[in-house]
Amino acid sequence: MRMVLIDGEHYPDVTAWAVRTLGDVCCAVFLGGIEKVGSIESLAEKLGIRLYYSDEYLASLKRALMENHVEEVVDLSDEPVVTYEDRFKIASLCLLHGVSYRGADFHFTPKPLGRVKKPSVGVIGTGKRIGKTAVSGFLARTLKEICEPVIVTMGRGGPEQPELIPGDAEDITPEYLIELVEGGEHAASDHLEDALTSGVKTIGCRRCGGGMAGFPFLDVVHEGVKLAESLPVDLVILEGSGATFPPYRADAYVVVVGAKQPLTHISGYFGPLRLAFADVVVVTMADVVSADKLEKIERIVMEVNPEADIHFTAFRPRPLGDVTGKRIGVIMTSTEAAGKARSYLEPLGSDVVEVSGNLANRPRLIRDLRRFERVDAVAVELKAAAVDVVTRWALERGVEVVYLDNEPLNIDGKDLAAAFVELGKRVLEAGG
């Protein structure tokens, strides 16, 4: 069955004709506009179907979606009643309910989402380079207090067949990662970073392409989930990639928002779809934007999902090896982050003598490394060119490699770790 969206800028006879022509229409949602209609009651009588209407059109749409079994929402409205921004909000709500949404020249179709046979938590984001993998690793490390988790990733450089990493950090050495590179693999893939930083089992998968709403075009996550289900673990963490999320409906969601992102990427397009999934929202890099922007982000989240638990955080570099008494060269994916790392690493007894924020820019990174001849060790995030460029450069010169984790710390007085434990307990008690 179909649902139609209508407005008062069309004459009722025209709208009724369109409804008859479409066929299989069970109900309609009135979006607004009064120029060409009389009363709502007379319009409903003319259409001969149930008509939903309120001052908040999204509330009416949500109610209609919940009360009717529809497979498609057809938009028969037009400007000026609805804007482009309105239609993205409508599309987000339809896709959240697993219903396709189409109009005269657009069609958004949800990809079917599977269900994991074990309790699951999804970690998805509103964009790339916002710290989603760091948050996922922190979630897994925290949940180890109450259960045995496994992380399933879906990176753009992931393996063709799901790859299980045991999670013993001692086995993930610079030499081991170089062997992977020489074997043709992407050794800085998300599942390796997760295993290294969290110490839990991880399963690496690949995906290619991401739609506007966040569905992957091609992926092997289904095979990865099957592997996870076969393991003696209690909970599966489904980690997204960039703004793309796994093709599974998790039992709960952590949504990562980058405070430095344009607000329109959070409030507009399909940002509301991602926020609507959230049980916990982690706003990263909240220490580098204004208080005014943080307030705007909070308002956006609350408008979309007032039940979400919001945490404003800053990343603290956490070395996964000893840096005491060493001259360190810090390499990260941004100059800002690399510069800030000095204030965390030097109190640990190191001397930061060089920094580079070009980890994701190989030509510039190679140029920067020419300045690193004085270092005893490089401290580097396990991302981008961390292995094929930085680790190889260091091993060739006998320079120690210390990988860095980025740990999210609350700057709002709240306790993210406690929120994750509470979320994990709730999911485990529900049983998936």
Side-chain angles (χ1 to χ4, degrees):
M1 295 294 289
R2 297 187 177 97
M3 176 194 305
V4 294
L5 308 181
I6 63 174
D7 63 29
E9 296 298 310
H10 292 79
Y11 282 105
D13 285 343
V14 173
T15 301
W17 163 77
V19 170
R20 290 195 305 270
T21 302
L22 271 174
D24 295 324
V25 178
C26 65
C27 62
V29 176
F30 185 76
L31 302 182
I34 58 173
E35 181 179 336
K36 298 180 177 70
V37 298
S39 67
I40 294 298
E41 291 76 17
S42 63
L43 178 60
E45 184 178 351
K46 171 71 72 172
L47 296 178
I49 55 177
R50 184 173 182 182
L51 181 60
Y52 290 81
Y53 169 72
S54 71
D55 292 337
E56 296 291 336
Y57 72 89
L58 288 176
S60 297
L61 175 58
K62 181 178 180 180
R63 181 183 171 195
L65 287 168
M66 294 178 68
E67 293 182 354
N68 299 274
H69 180 67
V70 297
E71 298 176 348
E72 180 180 58
V73 172
V74 179
D75 197 333
L76 299 178
S77 69
D78 199 355
E79 293 185 341
V81 175
V82 289
T83 64
Y84 299 122
E85 291 82 2
D86 289 322
R87 280 181 163 155
F88 273 112
K89 291 177 181 178
I90 292 169
S92 292
L93 187 55
C94 289
L95 295 182
L96 179 67
H97 286 265
V99 176
S100 67
Y101 171 53
R102 71 179 172 103
D105 55 7
F106 62 85
H107 195 173
F108 293 106
T109 304
K111 188 171 184 176
L113 298 179
R115 283 283 187 177
V116 187
K117 295 178 182 178
K118 292 177 179 284
S120 61
V121 176
V123 181
I124 63 177
T126 53
K128 184 176 172 62
R129 292 278 181 260
I130 59 174
K132 182 174 57 280
T133 302
V135 172
S136 183
F138 181 73
L139 171 65
R141 195 161 62 249
T142 302
L143 292 183
K144 284 167 63 177
E145 300 175 12
I146 61 171
C147 67
E148 184 173 353
V150 61
I151 304 174
V152 178
T153 70
M154 50 179 291
R156 281 169 277 203
E160 183 175 358
Q161 299 298 323
E163 180 179 49
L164 174 64
I165 304 296
D168 186 345
E170 294 181 359
D171 293 335
I172 307 175
T173 64
E175 291 79 9
Y176 168 73
L177 295 175
I178 285 294
E179 287 181 11
L180 293 181
V181 169
E182 292 177 346
E185 296 188 44
H186 175 43
S189 197
D190 292 343
H191 67 298
L192 292 165
E193 180 182 354
D194 280 328
L196 182 67
T197 61
S198 68
V200 308
K201 294 181 179 69
T202 65
I203 297 171
C205 303
R206 69 169 46 169
R207 62 97 175 177
C208 186
M212 293 175 64
F215 299 99
F217 191 82
L218 293 172
D219 66 85
V220 295
V221 176
H222 296 292
E223 289 81 357
V225 167
K226 288 180 182 178
L227 176 56
E229 291 171 338
S230 72
L231 299 175
V233 297
D234 305 307
L235 183 144
V236 179
I237 297 173
L238 300 164
E239 182 182 318
S241 169
T244 300
F245 46 78
Y248 277 81
R249 188 64 181 259
D251 300 315
Y253 281 90
V254 175
V255 176
V256 183
V257 175
K260 295 170 63 177
Q261 290 183 275
L263 289 173
T264 53
H265 290 189
I266 305 168
S267 65
Y269 307 106
F270 285 101
L273 172 62
R274 294 168 176 84
L275 294 176
F277 281 113
D279 295 274
V280 177
V281 173
V282 181
V283 181
T284 59
M285 296 171 274
D287 57 327
V288 297
V289 302
S290 67
D292 178 64
K293 187 171 185 183
L294 295 181
E295 290 175 3
K296 290 178 179 176
I297 291 174
E298 184 170 19
R299 283 200 298 272
I300 291 168
V301 174
M302 288 293 95
E303 287 176 5
V304 175
N305 187 348
E307 302 300 319
D309 180 18
I310 307 176
H311 290 256
F312 292 97
T313 67
F315 283 128
R316 178 186 67 185
R318 182 176 70 96
L320 302 178
D322 185 17
V323 296
T324 306
K326 297 170 185 174
R327 292 173 298 176
I328 299 290
V330 176
I331 305 173
M332 303 184 79
T333 53
S334 77
T335 302
E336 184 178 51
K340 286 177 58 180
R342 183 191 302 270
S343 64
Y344 291 106
L345 296 177
E346 290 193 335
L348 298 177
S350 68
D351 179 15
V352 177
V353 296
E354 296 289 353
V355 297
S356 170
N358 288 316
L359 186 57
N361 187 321
R362 283 171 171 77
R364 291 184 179 180
L365 175 60
I366 292 170
R367 180 195 64 197
D368 290 349
L369 285 171
R370 296 172 188 156
R371 298 186 278 104
F372 280 54
E373 296 300 332
R374 296 185 299 139
V375 305
D376 302 315
V378 288
V380 59
E381 301 173 280
L382 189 57
K383 297 179 180 297
V387 180
D388 61 309
V389 176
V390 178
T391 299
R392 189 189 299 278
W393 176 91
L395 293 182
E396 288 174 350
R397 290 161 177 79
V399 173
E400 184 181 354
V401 180
V402 177
Y403 294 114
L404 291 174
D405 178 26
N406 284 306
E407 189 167 46
L409 298 179
N410 285 88
I411 63 170
D412 54 7
K414 298 176 74 172
D415 189 338
L416 182 60
F420 281 171
V421 169
E422 181 182 346
L423 182 69
K425 286 181 177 178
R426 189 169 80 239
V427 170
L428 289 167
E429 288 170 2

